[in-house]
Structure formats: structure tokens, C-alpha cells
């Protein structure tokens, strides 16, 4: 039996000296003002036990982690085959907001987790429901079993004010016919999903269905088929941490998704989910201490998917 409390305690102590080494995202004021010394971590086991350390109950901006939920929704709406006609499944090897590949590859984003891919996911959701942002929020609330999860309106507004690159990308996708809804609507929904505020416990809970073959462990609700859950996990492993995905797989060895708010959600099928929050980022936009914390977690517990 792993003593998770002890493991988390040791990790917290070991990462504390490196918290100041990362660089907090500063493209919008609300993210720039988050103290770099925050650190939280939560483990949620398949049996329903939750273990935490540090600031695991403090809300933060989940940013690109939200792409896991939109991928799940898009997959349930149109299925894998149709989805993969509009978004690829290869690591991009480029920064999450890069435009370069999109032109070479005729408006088909490399994968669902780079921004271009995420914009296509939003477009699919918009084509299937009346209020896409509300649908995403309800989905997250259900997955995390927390009705209080919400968007941070200030973050959503700043995303819009500074989102020139995302706007360029959306227009580019539209010119290739890979967005079916108005660019404005796609961007507005995307900015809202990025602005979801959650804590480490919410985050760990929200991805438990991916650790349980697509079934929400506490409600018994089938969110995805077994095969779809497996596919999302492989996309997380190969594309979930951008152009540092090789480093992440090598050091952590788990399917996971990061966001520039400093959060990372990861999981071990049939065992647990684990989330971490440390706002200082490495140059690839992944949490620096968060990646180290997850590396220490798999090393100390001896758990891995390999
Ligand atoms: N809001 C950010 C963007 O679209 C999210 C990026 C991220 O978390 N990687 O640029």
C-alpha cells in the first residue's frame, strides 16, 4: 500500500526550492498577479479516497486543461472518425499557439490540444448545442461533482483583449473551411473555457472517468466508450503537454494535460488521477515545479503506465 500522505508531503518539501524558478504567465494581468510560490497537489483514487497537500483547495485558471473536456464533448457529439477528419493526432513539436503548421497542412490542426485544434473542438460543440460555453461549464461541474465551478469573467475578457494570435488562427481555420460557425462565437467560447476556475481536487475528480474506462466512478455514468477513453488517454500522452511532450512522457510517464495557469491533470488508468498546481512555467508553457512534482510522484510510488 502506498502512503499517499507521506508521498505528497515529501514531494511538497522537495519542490518548494524550485517554485521560484518558473516564470508565471504574464500575457494577462490576472495570471501575472498569481504568486509564484503557490503549490497544490491532489490524488484521487478509484476507491474515492482523496489526498492533498498545500494549496489544493485554492482556485486557479485551468486554461488549456479545459481542452480535455471539449475533446470529450466533441467526441461524444460526432465520434472519432469524423473528428479525426478535422483534427489530427500527431504531436506538433511546435508551441501551442503556433500558426506555421496550419498553412502547410491545409487548415487541419495537428492535434486537438494545440490552440488551433481546440478551436475546431469548440466549433463542433457550437454546431451541436445552443449555448456552448454553458454546455462546457455544466459538463465540467458534473465531472468534478462541484456545482460551484465557474468562469472567471475578468480572465475571459483579458483573453479576448489579448487574443490576437487565437483570432488569427480562427480566421485561418475559417478560410480553410474548418470552422462552420462564426469566428467570433468560436473565440468567445474558447476564451470562456480557458477562464474556468477550479482547484486541484476538482481537477483530479474531473478526469477520473478517463482513469475508469470512460465511466464516472461515483455516478456510474458512461461518459465515453472504453475505446474512446483509451484514445483520449493516448492523445494526452502524445500531445497533452505541447512541444515538451517527450520530456513529460520520459520523466512522468502518464497521460496528462497542462495549462498556462500552472495546472496539470494526469491519470493512471484503473488506479487514480493526480493534479498539481504551481504557477511558474518552463519555456514550453508547462508548470515547472508541477512537472517535477509528477515526476517525483511516479518515481516515489513506482507507479507508471509502462
Ligand atoms: N488562453 C491561452 C491561449 O489560448 C491558453 C494556452 C494554454 O494554456 N496553453 O493562448
Amino acid at each position: 500500500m502506498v502512503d499517499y500522505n507521506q508521498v505528497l508531503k515529501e514531494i511538497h518539501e522537495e519542490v518548494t526550492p524550485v517554485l521560484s524558478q518558473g516564470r508565471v504567465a504574464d500575457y494577462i494581468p490576472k495570471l501575472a498577479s498569481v504568486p509564484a510560490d503557490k503549490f497544490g497537489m491532489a490524488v484521487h483514487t478509484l476507491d474515492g479516497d482523496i489526498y492533498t497537500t498545500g494549496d489544493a483547495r485554492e482556485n486557479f485558471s485551468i486554461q488549456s486543461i479545459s481542452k480535455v473536456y471539449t475533446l470529450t464533448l466533441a467526441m461524444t457529439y460526432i465520434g472519432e472518425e469524423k473528428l479525426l477528419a478535422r483534427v489530427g493526432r500527431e504531436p506538433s513539436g511546435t508551441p501551442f499557439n503556433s500558426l506555421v503548421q496550419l498553412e502547410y497542412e491545409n487548415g487541419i490542426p495537428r492535434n486537438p490540444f494545440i490552440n488551433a485544434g481546440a478551436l475546431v473542438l469548440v466549433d463542433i460543440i457550437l454546431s451541436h448545442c445552443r449555448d456552448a460555453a454553458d454546455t462546457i461549464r455544466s459538463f465540467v461541474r458534473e465531472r468534478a461533482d462541484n456545482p460551484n465551478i465557474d468562469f472567471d469573467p475578468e480572465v475571459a475578457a483579458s483573453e479576448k483583449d489579448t487574443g490576437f494570435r487565437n483570432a488569427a488562427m480562427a480566421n485561418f481555420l475559417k478560410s480553410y473551411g474548418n470552422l462552420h460557425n462564426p469566428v467570433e462565437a468560436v473565440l468567445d467560447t474558447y476564451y470562456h473555457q480557458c477562464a474556468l476556475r477550479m482547484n486541484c481536487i476538482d481537477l483530479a475528480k474531473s478526469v477520473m472517468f478517463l482513469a475508469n474506462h470512460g465511466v464516472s466512478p461515483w455516478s456510474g455514468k458512461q461518459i465515453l466508450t472504453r475505446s474512446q477513453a483509451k484514445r483520449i488517454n493516448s492523445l494526452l500522452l502524445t500531445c497533452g503537454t505541447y512541444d515538451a511532450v517527450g520530456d513529460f512522457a520520459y520523466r512522468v510517464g502518464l497521460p496528462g494535460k497542462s495549462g498556462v495557469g500552472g495546472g496539470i491533470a494526469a491519470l493512471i488508468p484503473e488506479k487514480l488521477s493526480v493534479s498539481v498546481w504551481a504557477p511558474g512555467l518552463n519555456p514550453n508553457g508547462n508548470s515547472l515545479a508541477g512537472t517535477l512534482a509528477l515526476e517525483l510522484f511516479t518515481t516515489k510510488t513506482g507507479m507508471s503506465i509502462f
Side-chain angles (χ1 to χ4, degrees), residues 244-289:
V245 80
D247 179 61
F248 191 85
Y250 183 86
R251 291 171 52 201
V252 178
L254 299 181
K257 184 75 205 81
S258 58
V260 293
I264 309 177
L267 60 107
I268 306 181
E270 297 180 359
K271 287 204 171 68
L272 55 80
S273 59
V274 51
S275 62
V276 64
W277 173 48
L281 307 176
N282 66 21
N284 307 101
N286 297 317
S287 171
L288 187 135

mmCIF file of all heavy atoms in Angstrom, residues 244-289:
data_model
loop_
_atom_site.group_PDB
_atom_site.id
_atom_site.type_symbol
_atom_site.label_atom_id
_atom_site.label_comp_id
_atom_site.label_asym_id
_atom_site.label_seq_id
_atom_site.Cartn_x
_atom_site.Cartn_y
_atom_site.Cartn_z
ATOM 1 N N ALA A 244 6.776 19.799 -25.239
ATOM 2 C CA ALA A 244 7.611 19.171 -24.204
ATOM 3 C C ALA A 244 7.069 17.780 -23.900
ATOM 4 O O ALA A 244 7.364 17.189 -22.868
ATOM 5 C CB ALA A 244 7.599 20.015 -22.936
ATOM 6 N N VAL A 245 6.267 17.257 -24.826
ATOM 7 C CA VAL A 245 5.547 16.021 -24.545
ATOM 8 C C VAL A 245 6.504 14.831 -24.381
ATOM 9 O O VAL A 245 6.268 13.925 -23.583
ATOM 10 C CB VAL A 245 4.454 15.804 -25.628
ATOM 11 C CG1 VAL A 245 5.006 15.223 -26.912
ATOM 12 C CG2 VAL A 245 3.291 15.007 -25.094
ATOM 13 N N GLY A 246 7.621 14.861 -25.107
ATOM 14 C CA GLY A 246 8.618 13.798 -24.974
ATOM 15 C C GLY A 246 9.253 13.834 -23.589
ATOM 16 O O GLY A 246 9.384 12.805 -22.913
ATOM 17 N N ASP A 247 9.621 15.034 -23.167
ATOM 18 C CA ASP A 247 10.223 15.213 -21.843
ATOM 19 C C ASP A 247 9.246 14.768 -20.752
ATOM 20 O O ASP A 247 9.614 14.072 -19.805
ATOM 21 C CB ASP A 247 10.596 16.697 -21.669
ATOM 22 C CG ASP A 247 11.208 16.995 -20.317
ATOM 23 O OD1 ASP A 247 12.275 16.426 -20.020
ATOM 24 O OD2 ASP A 247 10.610 17.773 -19.539
ATOM 25 N N PHE A 248 7.978 15.141 -20.920
ATOM 26 C CA PHE A 248 6.960 14.801 -19.926
ATOM 27 C C PHE A 248 6.752 13.279 -19.861
ATOM 28 O O PHE A 248 6.675 12.693 -18.787
ATOM 29 C CB PHE A 248 5.645 15.512 -20.269
ATOM 30 C CG PHE A 248 4.609 15.451 -19.182
ATOM 31 C CD1 PHE A 248 4.614 16.377 -18.141
ATOM 32 C CD2 PHE A 248 3.624 14.473 -19.184
ATOM 33 C CE1 PHE A 248 3.658 16.323 -17.130
ATOM 34 C CE2 PHE A 248 2.667 14.405 -18.180
ATOM 35 C CZ PHE A 248 2.679 15.340 -17.150
ATOM 36 N N ALA A 249 6.676 12.643 -21.035
ATOM 37 C CA ALA A 249 6.488 11.182 -21.054
ATOM 38 C C ALA A 249 7.703 10.482 -20.460
ATOM 39 O O ALA A 249 7.577 9.492 -19.730
ATOM 40 C CB ALA A 249 6.250 10.701 -22.485
ATOM 41 N N TYR A 250 8.884 11.011 -20.754
ATOM 42 C CA TYR A 250 10.128 10.409 -20.262
ATOM 43 C C TYR A 250 10.228 10.529 -18.745
ATOM 44 O O TYR A 250 10.566 9.574 -18.054
ATOM 45 C CB TYR A 250 11.308 11.124 -20.933
ATOM 46 C CG TYR A 250 12.658 10.567 -20.592
ATOM 47 C CD1 TYR A 250 13.191 9.498 -21.308
ATOM 48 C CD2 TYR A 250 13.414 11.117 -19.553
ATOM 49 C CE1 TYR A 250 14.436 8.991 -20.995
ATOM 50 C CE2 TYR A 250 14.654 10.607 -19.234
ATOM 51 C CZ TYR A 250 15.162 9.544 -19.955
ATOM 52 O OH TYR A 250 16.389 9.038 -19.647
ATOM 53 N N ARG A 251 9.903 11.711 -18.241
ATOM 54 C CA ARG A 251 10.088 11.940 -16.802
ATOM 55 C C ARG A 251 8.898 11.491 -15.958
ATOM 56 O O ARG A 251 9.066 10.951 -14.868
ATOM 57 C CB ARG A 251 10.368 13.423 -16.544
ATOM 58 C CG ARG A 251 11.723 13.858 -17.077
ATOM 59 C CD ARG A 251 11.882 15.369 -17.020
ATOM 60 N NE ARG A 251 11.589 15.911 -15.710
ATOM 61 C CZ ARG A 251 11.271 17.187 -15.481
ATOM 62 N NH1 ARG A 251 11.207 18.045 -16.465
ATOM 63 N NH2 ARG A 251 11.026 17.599 -14.251
ATOM 64 N N VAL A 252 7.680 11.763 -16.453
ATOM 65 C CA VAL A 252 6.468 11.465 -15.663
ATOM 66 C C VAL A 252 5.849 10.136 -16.091
ATOM 67 O O VAL A 252 5.473 9.314 -15.268
ATOM 68 C CB VAL A 252 5.438 12.618 -15.795
ATOM 69 C CG1 VAL A 252 4.170 12.296 -15.025
ATOM 70 C CG2 VAL A 252 6.031 13.941 -15.331
ATOM 71 N N GLY A 253 5.729 9.949 -17.397
ATOM 72 C CA GLY A 253 5.209 8.681 -17.915
ATOM 73 C C GLY A 253 3.724 8.475 -17.695
ATOM 74 O O GLY A 253 3.273 7.351 -17.490
ATOM 75 N N LEU A 254 2.946 9.570 -17.724
ATOM 76 C CA LEU A 254 1.495 9.447 -17.568
ATOM 77 C C LEU A 254 0.790 10.313 -18.605
ATOM 78 O O LEU A 254 1.312 11.364 -18.981
ATOM 79 C CB LEU A 254 1.051 9.949 -16.181
ATOM 80 C CG LEU A 254 1.595 9.262 -14.939
ATOM 81 C CD1 LEU A 254 0.996 9.922 -13.700
ATOM 82 C CD2 LEU A 254 1.279 7.775 -14.950
ATOM 83 N N PRO A 255 -0.415 9.902 -19.036
ATOM 84 C CA PRO A 255 -1.202 10.811 -19.856
ATOM 85 C C PRO A 255 -1.563 12.026 -19.007
ATOM 86 O O PRO A 255 -1.994 11.860 -17.854
ATOM 87 C CB PRO A 255 -2.462 10.007 -20.209
ATOM 88 C CG PRO A 255 -2.400 8.729 -19.459
ATOM 89 C CD PRO A 255 -1.106 8.638 -18.731
ATOM 90 N N GLY A 256 -1.378 13.217 -19.555
ATOM 91 C CA GLY A 256 -1.656 14.410 -18.752
ATOM 92 C C GLY A 256 -1.910 15.610 -19.630
ATOM 93 O O GLY A 256 -1.580 15.618 -20.810
ATOM 94 N N LYS A 257 -2.512 16.633 -19.020
ATOM 95 C CA LYS A 257 -2.776 17.872 -19.756
ATOM 96 C C LYS A 257 -2.404 19.058 -18.899
ATOM 97 O O LYS A 257 -2.767 19.133 -17.724
ATOM 98 C CB LYS A 257 -4.275 17.958 -20.121
ATOM 99 C CG LYS A 257 -4.631 19.148 -20.969
ATOM 100 C CD LYS A 257 -4.178 18.974 -22.396
ATOM 101 C CE LYS A 257 -3.963 20.297 -23.098
ATOM 102 N NZ LYS A 257 -2.665 20.931 -22.801
ATOM 103 N N SER A 258 -1.679 19.974 -19.523
ATOM 104 C CA SER A 258 -1.215 21.158 -18.800
ATOM 105 C C SER A 258 -1.968 22.403 -19.253
ATOM 106 O O SER A 258 -2.635 22.385 -20.284
ATOM 107 C CB SER A 258 0.270 21.353 -19.095
ATOM 108 O OG SER A 258 0.442 21.488 -20.499
ATOM 109 N N GLY A 259 -1.820 23.468 -18.484
ATOM 110 C CA GLY A 259 -2.371 24.772 -18.861
ATOM 111 C C GLY A 259 -1.425 25.859 -18.392
ATOM 112 O O GLY A 259 -0.678 25.637 -17.428
ATOM 113 N N VAL A 260 -1.477 27.034 -19.037
ATOM 114 C CA VAL A 260 -0.528 28.092 -18.659
ATOM 115 C C VAL A 260 -0.857 28.752 -17.312
ATOM 116 O O VAL A 260 -0.101 29.590 -16.830
ATOM 117 C CB VAL A 260 -0.368 29.177 -19.756
ATOM 118 C CG1 VAL A 260 0.294 28.613 -20.988
ATOM 119 C CG2 VAL A 260 -1.691 29.848 -20.085
ATOM 120 N N GLY A 261 -1.961 28.345 -16.690
ATOM 121 C CA GLY A 261 -2.221 28.789 -15.328
ATOM 122 C C GLY A 261 -1.361 28.019 -14.324
ATOM 123 O O GLY A 261 -1.371 28.304 -13.120
ATOM 124 N N GLY A 262 -0.608 27.035 -14.811
ATOM 125 C CA GLY A 262 0.292 26.267 -13.946
ATOM 126 C C GLY A 262 -0.290 24.948 -13.457
ATOM 127 O O GLY A 262 0.327 24.245 -12.661
ATOM 128 N N GLY A 263 -1.466 24.599 -13.951
ATOM 129 C CA GLY A 263 -2.075 23.323 -13.545
ATOM 130 C C GLY A 263 -1.693 22.191 -14.491
ATOM 131 O O GLY A 263 -1.381 22.433 -15.660
ATOM 132 N N ILE A 264 -1.697 20.984 -13.964
ATOM 133 C CA ILE A 264 -1.552 19.775 -14.790
ATOM 134 C C ILE A 264 -2.480 18.714 -14.196
ATOM 135 O O ILE A 264 -2.504 18.520 -12.972
ATOM 136 C CB ILE A 264 -0.114 19.204 -14.798
ATOM 137 C CG1 ILE A 264 0.930 20.279 -15.139
ATOM 138 C CG2 ILE A 264 -0.002 18.033 -15.811
ATOM 139 C CD1 ILE A 264 2.382 19.775 -15.089
ATOM 140 N N ALA A 265 -3.240 18.037 -15.045
ATOM 141 C CA ALA A 265 -4.060 16.903 -14.598
ATOM 142 C C ALA A 265 -3.515 15.667 -15.296
ATOM 143 O O ALA A 265 -3.267 15.690 -16.505
ATOM 144 C CB ALA A 265 -5.522 17.123 -14.972
ATOM 145 N N ALA A 266 -3.299 14.599 -14.534
ATOM 146 C CA ALA A 266 -2.752 13.365 -15.112
ATOM 147 C C ALA A 266 -3.489 12.175 -14.499
ATOM 148 O O ALA A 266 -4.229 12.329 -13.508
ATOM 149 C CB ALA A 266 -1.259 13.269 -14.824
ATOM 150 N N LEU A 267 -3.297 11.008 -15.082
ATOM 151 C CA LEU A 267 -4.022 9.856 -14.544
ATOM 152 C C LEU A 267 -3.318 8.546 -14.836
ATOM 153 O O LEU A 267 -2.471 8.457 -15.736
ATOM 154 C CB LEU A 267 -5.441 9.823 -15.126
ATOM 155 C CG LEU A 267 -5.514 9.706 -16.652
ATOM 156 C CD1 LEU A 267 -5.952 8.322 -17.069
ATOM 157 C CD2 LEU A 267 -6.467 10.750 -17.199
ATOM 158 N N ILE A 268 -3.667 7.559 -14.024
ATOM 159 C CA ILE A 268 -3.197 6.188 -14.246
ATOM 160 C C ILE A 268 -4.448 5.330 -14.384
ATOM 161 O O ILE A 268 -5.211 5.175 -13.416
ATOM 162 C CB ILE A 268 -2.342 5.671 -13.067
ATOM 163 C CG1 ILE A 268 -1.192 6.634 -12.786
ATOM 164 C CG2 ILE A 268 -1.819 4.259 -13.365
ATOM 165 C CD1 ILE A 268 -0.282 6.208 -11.649
ATOM 166 N N PRO A 269 -4.704 4.790 -15.604
ATOM 167 C CA PRO A 269 -5.920 4.003 -15.787
ATOM 168 C C PRO A 269 -6.057 2.904 -14.735
ATOM 169 O O PRO A 269 -5.089 2.268 -14.339
ATOM 170 C CB PRO A 269 -5.752 3.416 -17.193
ATOM 171 C CG PRO A 269 -4.903 4.427 -17.901
ATOM 172 C CD PRO A 269 -3.940 4.923 -16.856
ATOM 173 N N GLU A 270 -7.275 2.724 -14.276
ATOM 174 C CA GLU A 270 -7.657 1.716 -13.274
ATOM 175 C C GLU A 270 -7.086 1.975 -11.885
ATOM 176 O O GLU A 270 -7.236 1.154 -10.993
ATOM 177 C CB GLU A 270 -7.281 0.304 -13.749
ATOM 178 C CG GLU A 270 -8.032 -0.071 -15.014
ATOM 179 C CD GLU A 270 -7.695 -1.462 -15.524
ATOM 180 O OE1 GLU A 270 -6.866 -2.146 -14.911
ATOM 181 O OE2 GLU A 270 -8.280 -1.854 -16.548
ATOM 182 N N LYS A 271 -6.419 3.127 -11.711
ATOM 183 C CA LYS A 271 -5.858 3.394 -10.380
ATOM 184 C C LYS A 271 -6.280 4.751 -9.812
ATOM 185 O O LYS A 271 -6.956 4.813 -8.804
ATOM 186 C CB LYS A 271 -4.337 3.330 -10.432
ATOM 187 C CG LYS A 271 -3.791 1.935 -10.574
ATOM 188 C CD LYS A 271 -2.369 1.868 -10.049
ATOM 189 C CE LYS A 271 -1.875 0.444 -9.974
ATOM 190 N NZ LYS A 271 -1.708 -0.170 -11.322
ATOM 191 N N LEU A 272 -5.863 5.826 -10.454
ATOM 192 C CA LEU A 272 -6.055 7.132 -9.836
ATOM 193 C C LEU A 272 -5.904 8.276 -10.828
ATOM 194 O O LEU A 272 -5.445 8.076 -11.957
ATOM 195 C CB LEU A 272 -5.042 7.320 -8.706
ATOM 196 C CG LEU A 272 -3.549 7.145 -9.043
ATOM 197 C CD1 LEU A 272 -2.933 8.372 -9.698
ATOM 198 C CD2 LEU A 272 -2.779 6.857 -7.765
ATOM 199 N N SER A 273 -6.296 9.462 -10.366
ATOM 200 C CA SER A 273 -5.943 10.680 -11.087
ATOM 201 C C SER A 273 -5.131 11.539 -10.121
ATOM 202 O O SER A 273 -5.265 11.414 -8.896
ATOM 203 C CB SER A 273 -7.188 11.423 -11.565
ATOM 204 O OG SER A 273 -8.002 11.771 -10.470
ATOM 205 N N VAL A 274 -4.298 12.388 -10.686
ATOM 206 C CA VAL A 274 -3.448 13.241 -9.854
ATOM 207 C C VAL A 274 -3.355 14.608 -10.517
ATOM 208 O O VAL A 274 -3.196 14.706 -11.734
ATOM 209 C CB VAL A 274 -2.064 12.582 -9.612
ATOM 210 C CG1 VAL A 274 -1.397 12.124 -10.890
ATOM 211 C CG2 VAL A 274 -1.128 13.502 -8.831
ATOM 212 N N SER A 275 -3.499 15.665 -9.705
ATOM 213 C CA SER A 275 -3.426 17.008 -10.265
ATOM 214 C C SER A 275 -2.433 17.819 -9.460
ATOM 215 O O SER A 275 -2.183 17.543 -8.272
ATOM 216 C CB SER A 275 -4.794 17.665 -10.212
ATOM 217 O OG SER A 275 -5.188 17.779 -8.868
ATOM 218 N N VAL A 276 -1.899 18.837 -10.113
ATOM 219 C CA VAL A 276 -0.907 19.666 -9.440
ATOM 220 C C VAL A 276 -1.065 21.093 -9.925
ATOM 221 O O VAL A 276 -1.534 21.314 -11.050
ATOM 222 C CB VAL A 276 0.513 19.085 -9.699
ATOM 223 C CG1 VAL A 276 0.888 19.133 -11.165
ATOM 224 C CG2 VAL A 276 1.562 19.775 -8.871
ATOM 225 N N TRP A 277 -0.722 22.032 -9.077
ATOM 226 C CA TRP A 277 -0.758 23.456 -9.465
ATOM 227 C C TRP A 277 0.473 24.162 -8.902
ATOM 228 O O TRP A 277 0.693 24.158 -7.700
ATOM 229 C CB TRP A 277 -2.021 24.128 -8.927
ATOM 230 C CG TRP A 277 -2.053 25.609 -9.135
ATOM 231 C CD1 TRP A 277 -1.776 26.281 -10.298
ATOM 232 C CD2 TRP A 277 -2.373 26.613 -8.159
ATOM 233 N NE1 TRP A 277 -1.918 27.633 -10.116
ATOM 234 C CE2 TRP A 277 -2.291 27.869 -8.815
ATOM 235 C CE3 TRP A 277 -2.739 26.567 -6.817
ATOM 236 C CZ2 TRP A 277 -2.548 29.072 -8.153
ATOM 237 C CZ3 TRP A 277 -2.994 27.773 -6.164
ATOM 238 C CH2 TRP A 277 -2.898 29.010 -6.828
ATOM 239 N N ALA A 278 1.278 24.688 -9.796
ATOM 240 C CA ALA A 278 2.416 25.533 -9.426
ATOM 241 C C ALA A 278 2.559 26.522 -10.579
ATOM 242 O O ALA A 278 2.857 26.108 -11.706
ATOM 243 C CB ALA A 278 3.679 24.704 -9.243
ATOM 244 N N PRO A 279 2.282 27.817 -10.327
ATOM 245 C CA PRO A 279 2.119 28.775 -11.426
ATOM 246 C C PRO A 279 3.355 29.050 -12.286
ATOM 247 O O PRO A 279 3.209 29.445 -13.440
ATOM 248 C CB PRO A 279 1.690 30.067 -10.716
ATOM 249 C CG PRO A 279 1.276 29.660 -9.355
ATOM 250 C CD PRO A 279 1.986 28.403 -9.013
ATOM 251 N N GLY A 280 4.566 28.848 -11.757
ATOM 252 C CA GLY A 280 5.773 29.126 -12.546
ATOM 253 C C GLY A 280 5.916 28.116 -13.682
ATOM 254 O O GLY A 280 5.867 26.909 -13.453
ATOM 255 N N LEU A 281 6.087 28.615 -14.907
ATOM 256 C CA LEU A 281 6.127 27.733 -16.080
ATOM 257 C C LEU A 281 7.549 27.543 -16.596
ATOM 258 O O LEU A 281 8.427 28.384 -16.390
ATOM 259 C CB LEU A 281 5.285 28.354 -17.209
ATOM 260 C CG LEU A 281 3.843 28.735 -16.854
ATOM 261 C CD1 LEU A 281 3.181 29.419 -18.057
ATOM 262 C CD2 LEU A 281 3.036 27.531 -16.393
ATOM 263 N N ASN A 282 7.749 26.447 -17.327
ATOM 264 C CA ASN A 282 9.000 26.273 -18.065
ATOM 265 C C ASN A 282 8.821 26.922 -19.447
ATOM 266 O O ASN A 282 7.721 27.367 -19.783
ATOM 267 C CB ASN A 282 9.392 24.781 -18.133
ATOM 268 C CG ASN A 282 8.413 23.940 -18.951
ATOM 269 O OD1 ASN A 282 7.670 24.464 -19.778
ATOM 270 N ND2 ASN A 282 8.403 22.648 -18.717
ATOM 271 N N PRO A 283 9.877 26.992 -20.269
ATOM 272 C CA PRO A 283 9.740 27.715 -21.542
ATOM 273 C C PRO A 283 8.694 27.120 -22.490
ATOM 274 O O PRO A 283 8.228 27.792 -23.400
ATOM 275 C CB PRO A 283 11.148 27.610 -22.162
ATOM 276 C CG PRO A 283 12.054 27.406 -20.987
ATOM 277 C CD PRO A 283 11.276 26.595 -20.011
ATOM 278 N N ASN A 284 8.278 25.880 -22.275
ATOM 279 C CA ASN A 284 7.245 25.285 -23.134
ATOM 280 C C ASN A 284 5.827 25.616 -22.674
ATOM 281 O O ASN A 284 4.862 25.217 -23.317
ATOM 282 C CB ASN A 284 7.378 23.757 -23.166
ATOM 283 C CG ASN A 284 8.765 23.318 -23.538
ATOM 284 O OD1 ASN A 284 9.557 22.938 -22.679
ATOM 285 N ND2 ASN A 284 9.081 23.398 -24.809
ATOM 286 N N GLY A 285 5.704 26.303 -21.537
ATOM 287 C CA GLY A 285 4.371 26.669 -21.051
ATOM 288 C C GLY A 285 3.772 25.638 -20.120
ATOM 289 O O GLY A 285 2.588 25.711 -19.788
ATOM 290 N N ASN A 286 4.571 24.672 -19.682
ATOM 291 C CA ASN A 286 4.100 23.695 -18.693
ATOM 292 C C ASN A 286 4.623 24.095 -17.315
ATOM 293 O O ASN A 286 5.722 24.654 -17.205
ATOM 294 C CB ASN A 286 4.622 22.291 -19.029
ATOM 295 C CG ASN A 286 4.096 21.780 -20.362
ATOM 296 O OD1 ASN A 286 2.932 21.937 -20.668
ATOM 297 N ND2 ASN A 286 4.969 21.189 -21.162
ATOM 298 N N SER A 287 3.864 23.771 -16.275
ATOM 299 C CA SER A 287 4.311 24.108 -14.926
ATOM 300 C C SER A 287 5.655 23.435 -14.637
ATOM 301 O O SER A 287 5.802 22.218 -14.781
ATOM 302 C CB SER A 287 3.275 23.621 -13.908
ATOM 303 O OG SER A 287 3.788 23.751 -12.599
ATOM 304 N N LEU A 288 6.624 24.250 -14.234
ATOM 305 C CA LEU A 288 7.970 23.705 -13.995
ATOM 306 C C LEU A 288 7.991 22.818 -12.757
ATOM 307 O O LEU A 288 8.362 21.641 -12.815
ATOM 308 C CB LEU A 288 8.965 24.867 -13.853
ATOM 309 C CG LEU A 288 10.429 24.494 -13.759
ATOM 310 C CD1 LEU A 288 11.253 25.403 -14.675
ATOM 311 C CD2 LEU A 288 10.963 24.625 -12.338
ATOM 312 N N ALA A 289 7.531 23.360 -11.624
ATOM 313 C CA ALA A 289 7.516 22.554 -10.396
ATOM 314 C C ALA A 289 6.434 21.472 -10.474
ATOM 315 O O ALA A 289 6.576 20.405 -9.863
ATOM 316 C CB ALA A 289 7.285 23.449 -9.181
#
